[in-house]
Amino acid sequence: MPDSRNWFHTIPEHLVRRFPECLKLDAIRLEIKGEKLVNFASNDYLGLAFHPKVRRAARIHIDRQGLGSGASRLISGDAPELHELEAKLADWKGYEAALVVGSGYLANTGLIDALTDRHSALFCDRLNHASLVDGARLSRGRVYRYAHGNMEQLADLLQKHRNKRKLIVSDGVFSMEGDCATVCELVRLAEEFDALVLIDDAHGTGVLGPSGRGLLAEQSLAGHPRILEVGTLGKALGSYGAFILSSKEMIEGLKQRLRTLIYSTALPPCVAAGATSAIFLVQNGDFLGKLHANIQYFVQETERLDLPFGHTRTAIQSLVLGKEKAALAAAALLRKAGFFVPAIRPPTVPEGTSRLRITLSAIHEREHINTLLNVLRKEL
Ligand SMILES: *Cc1c(COP(=O)(O)O)cnc(C)c1O
């Protein structure tokens, strides 16, 4: 009889996922099992998680409000820090209203469930983030998936399935590819077929657009009445948690219906205060300039290498190597040379597209990038 010791099938030793303890030495260096490594695997794209002003903001608010929020926002967890952050987010990102929730995973799963019922149809890019995939699984609506970025296929599906409520769901910047959705086309199709568009721009916020406002602001679509935007506080904003942006009416409606808001403990106020301070820094510092200088340099240098890099304009640069073993071997090689870049493999990415996912940050120095590229040049 199976019990807790043999419930799961055994995974081959070399494919077992490890969760090594990562000690942060500073904003860019980690210590893992005694090895000191330069981190090229963080989504802290602007280096704000370690910024003294962000840390100080969080510390001050711990002293004011304590550590945990103690309850869901609906009950007694709705701290002023959350309201301040929501006002700041709506203003910065260009929407009427914002709603802060516990994490991106909670935002996406809760949102898709709240927006759909059994009469709805969902249209999802095949490379959407797992949290959007899981939201679609939870939904009682019908789910139709289109090949990554294939707008013709999406148009065909919208043409065919004339459900009353339709929701198009896509990453803004795709989390593993680092490429961008054609959001103008998504919105055009939404207008033609009377749908809503949910864009998860976890990796565009603090990276793309004027003052880091994200992909939709870059494409002059922020605040569009057909759009709901999701973003996270845990990536370029260096904190934790997530937010949903839309019209006042939509956000009010979500407060009544979003189960992952109502039935989950509120984000700690100190975490929200840290994020508010990070937005202020993004708006007023030169973090974006430094990040984009690093991205441009990295792309320019990798274009000269004969390696299958994605060459994107975002902080995510992937090197697709194919087999899991190839990606694991490349990761081990970089680790030996002092870099932390773990292999990304199925089911996070499709079978046969195992890769190194290199993420760049404003605080990487030229020397870090040059040494990393030298290792790849010589050894792959
Ligand atoms: C990281 C990520 C999420 C999940 O956000 P968390 O706050 O980490 O739960 C959702 N969507 C995308 C595209 C992401 O990259």
Side-chain angles (χ1 to χ4, degrees), residues 78-129:
D78 210 14
E81 285 86 346
L82 299 179
H83 290 243
E84 194 187 332
L85 174 58
E86 286 173 343
K88 184 84 185 154
L89 280 166
D91 176 57
W92 175 46
K93 302 272 293 179
Y95 288 80
E96 281 179 14
L99 184 61
V100 166
V101 295
S103 74
Y105 192 93
L106 290 173
N108 286 336
T109 50
L111 199 46
I112 296 178
D113 169 60
L115 292 170
T116 59
D117 61 22
R118 66 197 175 87
H119 304 294
S120 312
L122 286 88
F123 302 88
C124 307
D125 190 292
R126 277 200 180 271
L127 294 190
N128 277 352
H129 188 265

Side-chain angles (χ1 to χ4, degrees), residues 43 102-106 108 129 131-132 171 173 175 200 202-203 232-235 240-242:
N43 303 316
S103 74
Y105 192 93
L106 290 173
N108 286 336
H129 188 265
S131 55
L132 293 172
D171 283 21
V173 173
S175 59
D200 173 3
H203 300 278
T232 64
L233 304 170
K235 285 162 184 159
Y240 187 75

Side-chain angles (χ1 to χ4, degrees), residues 1-16:
M1 280 298 279
D3 62 25
S4 65
R5 293 162 300 181
N6 56 13
W7 191 263
F8 295 118
H9 296 297
T10 317
I11 296 171
E13 183 60 23
H14 70 286
L15 295 179
V16 170

